[in-house]
Each structure stands twice: as C-alpha cells, then as structure tokens.
Amino acid sequence: MRSLANRLDLCSINTATLGHREPLHQVIDRVARAGFGGIAPWRHEMEHADKRAIARQLRALDLKVTGYCRSTYIPAADTKAFLSGIGSNRAAIHDAAELQAECFMLVVGGLPDGSTNLHGARRQVAEGIAMLLETAAECHVKLAIEPLHPMYAADRSVVNTLAQALALCDELDPDRRGHLGVAFDIFHCWWDPLVEATLVSPQASGRIVAFHVSDWLRNTRDMLLDRGMMGDGVVQLRRLRELVERTGFEGLVEVEIFSRDDWWQRPADDVLSTCAERLQAHC
Amino acid sequence: MRSLANRLDLCSINTATLGHREPLHQVIDRVARAGFGGIAPWRHEMEHADKRAIARQLRALDLKVTGYCRSTYIPAADTKAFLSGIGSNRAAIHDAAELQAECFMLVVGGLPDGSTNLHGARRQVAEGIAMLLETAAECHVKLAIEPLHPMYAADRSVVNTLAQALALCDELDPDRRGHLGVAFDIFHCWWDPLVEATLVSPQASGRIVAFHVSDWLRNTRDMLLDRGMMGDGVVQLRRLRELVERTGFEGLVEVEIFSRDDWWQRPADDVLSTCAERLQAHC
C-alpha cells in the first residue's frame, strides 16, 4: 500500500469539493498551486470554458485528470430519449479524450419518470454502456461505472453495489479490452457487507479505475449535499484504500465532497489545505 | 399468492403510520374499527399503558399483533452498556409474549458513539442476538431481524441487506428451531439487485416472519420521515409480496409509514382508509 505522506502528487481534487463557485480555469490554478497531482472537472464547467485552452492549462501545470464528470443518465422513457442520451454521452467521451482524462464517469441514472421498472432500467443501462464502449475504444477513454449509494436508486443510479458494477463489466467486457471499469467511492460503498470480499475477488482485479474519498457523517442531514471531510465520519478509509490498491489500482486518490452547508461555505484554499492534511492523516 | 381484495383481515397497521398522536388504546380501537386484522405497537406506547389491559383489549377485538417494535440497539461501546441493552431487550421479549406478538422486531443498532468498527459492531449484533434467542425460546416469541436501508448503517442498523440478515439466521439458528427470522420491509430492500434471487433461494424459505409495506418516493426529502403511501412511489409492491409469500410467509401485510410532513398531518381515519384502499389496489 502506498504512503500518501508528502505525496500530494498522488492526490486529486474533484471540483465539486469546492462547490463550483468560480470558473474552471481559476479552480485548476488553485488546485495546482495547492500541490495536488490531479483534478476531476465537470461537464457543466466545461460548457463555459474554452476546451482546448483548459486542456493546455492542465498539461502546462502537469495536472492529471482523474475523471471527467459525468454521463447523461441512460434509462429513458422512450427510444428517442434513450438515443439522445447516448449521443450526449458520446460527445462527452470525445471531450474526456481531449482532456486526457483517466476515465469518463458513468453515473448511470435512476428510473425514468413515471416508471417503476427497476429491472428494465438496469437492462437499459447495460445496453447503453455497450453502445458507448465502441466510442470509448475509438477515443482511448475508459468508462468508469460508479455504483451509487442505494438511497439514489430511484433518482440517480440503478447501479448500487460494487458487485453489481463488476458483474456489468464482466457481462459487457468479458475479454477485458481495457475500456471498462468501476469507480469506487467510499461514500457509496462503505456500508456494504460484501464490499471487502468483492474487492479481494478475482472479479475486481484490474477493474477499479477511479477511487473517491470523503466520509459518511453520523446523522447525515441531507441525502445529497452533506458528505463529510475525511476523518469526520465513520468510514475506515485506510482499510478500504488498502483493498482498492490490492486490486491493482495505481491511480490518484480523488477527494469528492458535496457539502452545501459546511465545506462549500469555507474559503477554497482552506478546503484544499484541509483535504491535503486529512488525506495524509486518514486515507 | 393471496388476494387482498376485501381481505383487510390479512392487513395490519404499524402504529407509527398514524404518527403516535394518541394513546395506544385509542389507536387500537381505531384500527379495529377500520377493519384491519392486525396492529404493530411500539414499546414507548406501552410505557404509558396498562400492559394487561392492552393485551385484553387486543384479544377482545381479535387483533393480531404482527410485531412488537422494537429492540434496544445492540452494539455498545463497552461491556456494561452491551449487557444493559441485552437486559432491556429481554424485558421487551417478555412484553411481546404478553401481547402474543408474532415477533419482536430487531432493529439492531448502528455504530457505537465514536466507533468506526463496522465489522466489530456486526459481530456484537450476532453475539447479542445469540444471547436473546434463549429468552425468545422461553417466551415462545420469534425474533425478527430487520435489515435496514444502507443509509441507516451508521446510526440505526449495521444489518443492511436481506442476504446479510438471512446469513445471520443461518449462523445463529442453523437447526431452524423456530425463534429466529427476518422482517422484510420493502422500503429498506427494494433497491437491492440481489433481493429477488435471495427471496427465491432455499435460505429464505420459512425465514420471513414479518412483511412491511410503504413506498419509496422519488426525491425523498428526509432520510427517516418521508416514506410514501403504497402506490405513490417506485416500488413494485405486488411483485415483492409474491416473492415473500413464495418463501412460505403466511402472516399479515403490515403498513409502516413514517411521514412527518404528509400522512402524519392528516386525520387518522383518513390515513387508515387510504391504507385500506392502497393495500388492495397496489400490494
């Protein structure tokens, strides 16, 4: 297991951690100045930016892009909407390639409006990812299926456990061609009674392509926007990182904290210095 | 699969559904008057009541007690607190016997204050239930392990999936002596990619001793107190009841809805008539 002590070059900041309060080029400068080795931007930030200039800036600062966030939701009420989502995701995969992102984050989506067909939505997700794999291969971009916490199953993701995400990888990419993997976020997966056994299984070997940290707070007040800073919650972060790295993961440790009422209210540089300290002390 | 049409005798009301707004004896009368065949009361309601009088009232009205809610949390920071919890649960099992309850609900508890030892808490739960099984056998009361949604893993229950609860049953009661089972609540388990396969597995056969319905709302606003009325959310209730009944479950279908800002604001008789209608239309 790698030591993170004095190794901020092994650590990355998801821009959501800073609350999307300033333009992307400023966030990039700030993260680089704080000494981090990577960053993970969002598509809505890129919409207001010059993509080529951002790509040049990232390379000039030697910042890795640990992930490009995130997919348009895949399950849809009809074929037209489904294909529109696929088209949008294909365009985003091209942008991920321009950013030389380690992966394109697949937050796959919940149930289509009005639907209760959970099984059908999960089948649509498999079908949609299969269609995106071709684009991913052309663009030399990895797709990272991110299992989201079960509390998001209706609205944001019908993929809810590590084992389920890995089974999708096996189904869609049995020959392990190198363009499909899983993003493991401790916030989403920490509670799972099967998570340790799954991480040490052969199925997980080589499949983890992104690793996100934050913490789960006791008495979480908001289902979406109350994630904790590492060390403030109940997750055994170091233990999980050890198991993730045993799968062969050699990427950066990415901090992703949605925290509307706490961390998003603090000065960005304070948040970054706290991230740096806590990554080394707790992860 | 049983039909619930004109069979309110197969349906039960957990008193939490009415928001705990009046004394238990009044709630019992109200639920019986509405035609339901069962009720599930809470310990804090019994504290203010004459237990023998309540037991007599229930029998006079021919109301089944589909569950007695609920256990003192088991994981504890030290042995003294652990044993105190066990003592409290033993006393409650005696009360469940006096009420002739179908089962005593085990909501097992989250991580002890200050602890991040999820594995240790899960081991304490197994140890605690093993200690309670003796009392359960003496009192002829079934213990119902209720897996709670993963969003409660830190604070309320470290048992979070049906498969995990069934594995605990196998571990603690391999000979199936008849005093240990699982409470299956659709709110907690609907999202689980393994739930259907688990329900049809031999492991589940004969182990489901309670079945709770409500619904999962899109954009749930509160992690604890925003459950939906059956039919207002995304859960395929009839499909899950079918699978639960295939395990051999022959008990009543119990409605348990925590809904501070919606159903708890409505007149109790309106809530009961809506429950009756929705049970027949959606469950």
Side-chain angles (χ1 to χ4, degrees), chain A:
Chain A
M1 184 183 179
R2 303 172 299 182
S3 168
L4 299 183
N6 301 311
R7 292 298 306 273
L8 279 192
D9 61 305
L10 293 179
C11 301
S12 171
I13 298 292
N14 186 298
T15 59
T17 305
L18 300 178
H20 298 300
R21 289 175 288 178
E22 53 190 359
L24 181 56
H25 67 92
Q26 289 178 20
V27 176
I28 290 170
D29 277 338
R30 201 184 281 285
V31 167
R33 211 160 50 228
F36 291 93
I39 193 167
W42 285 64
R43 283 165 77 187
H44 63 79
E45 294 171 310
M46 289 287 279
E47 280 166 17
H48 307 289
D50 175 338
K51 285 174 194 172
R52 289 191 186 170
I54 292 289
R56 276 198 305 273
Q57 184 189 7
L58 289 164
R59 284 194 272 278
L61 292 166
D62 203 21
L63 274 181
K64 288 184 175 149
V65 174
T66 49
Y68 186 43
C69 301
R70 62 171 169 71
S71 56
T72 302
Y73 294 157
I74 296 172
D78 57 52
T79 305
K80 189 179 166 194
F82 177 79
L83 292 176
S84 163
I86 296 298
S88 166
N89 283 321
R90 283 185 170 140
I93 291 169
H94 283 276
D95 290 343
E98 182 151 356
L99 293 174
Q100 299 185 358
E102 307 274 329
C103 57
F104 177 55
M105 302 299 307
L106 297 184
V107 173
V108 300
L111 293 164
D113 275 351
S115 168
T116 62
N117 187 354
L118 183 58
H119 183 73
R122 286 174 170 157
R123 283 297 86 208
Q124 279 193 315
V125 165
E127 189 187 342
I129 296 175
M131 292 169 75
L132 296 176
L133 268 175
E134 197 180 325
T135 312
E138 283 165 22
C139 294
H140 306 287
V141 167
K142 288 180 185 167
L143 303 181
I145 303 172
E146 184 171 20
L148 253 55
H149 194 285
M151 67 187 172
Y152 303 126
D155 311 309
R156 295 168 189 279
S157 175
V158 293
V159 175
N160 305 103
T161 65
L162 175 63
Q164 185 191 7
L166 290 171
L168 259 178
C169 290
D170 283 351
E171 175 189 343
L172 300 175
D173 177 38
D175 301 328
R176 294 173 169 260
R177 291 173 184 275
H179 301 106
L180 188 60
V182 170
F184 184 89
D185 185 316
I186 64 88
F187 182 83
H188 297 303
C189 300
W190 75 276
W191 60 271
D192 185 350
L194 299 178
V195 79
E196 297 207 355
T198 307
L199 279 172
V200 301
S201 71
Q203 202 179 23
S205 177
R207 283 286 193 198
I208 311 289
V209 298
F211 177 53
H212 298 174
V213 296
S214 60
D215 213 335
W216 180 281
L217 301 175
R218 284 173 193 279
N219 300 309
T220 299
R221 293 161 298 176
D222 186 277
M223 287 171 70
L224 189 62
L225 302 177
D226 191 27
R227 296 194 191 187
M229 178 62 69
M230 298 76 73
D232 288 344
V234 299
V235 182
Q236 295 192 326
L237 296 163
R238 194 157 286 167
R239 170 72 180 153
L240 287 175
R241 181 165 72 87
E242 183 184 5
L243 293 173
V244 165
E245 294 191 0
R246 273 203 228 161
T247 68
F249 177 74
E250 294 180 330
L252 277 63
V253 179
E254 177 185 321
V255 180
E256 185 181 37
I257 302 177
F258 299 83
S259 171
R260 184 185 52 210
D261 298 337
D262 187 353
W263 296 98
W264 289 0
Q265 302 302 321
R266 306 196 195 194
D269 286 342
D270 293 356
V271 177
L272 291 175
S273 64
T274 306
C275 287
E277 177 203 320
R278 300 294 185 86
L279 279 160
Q280 296 175 80
H282 295 281
C283 295

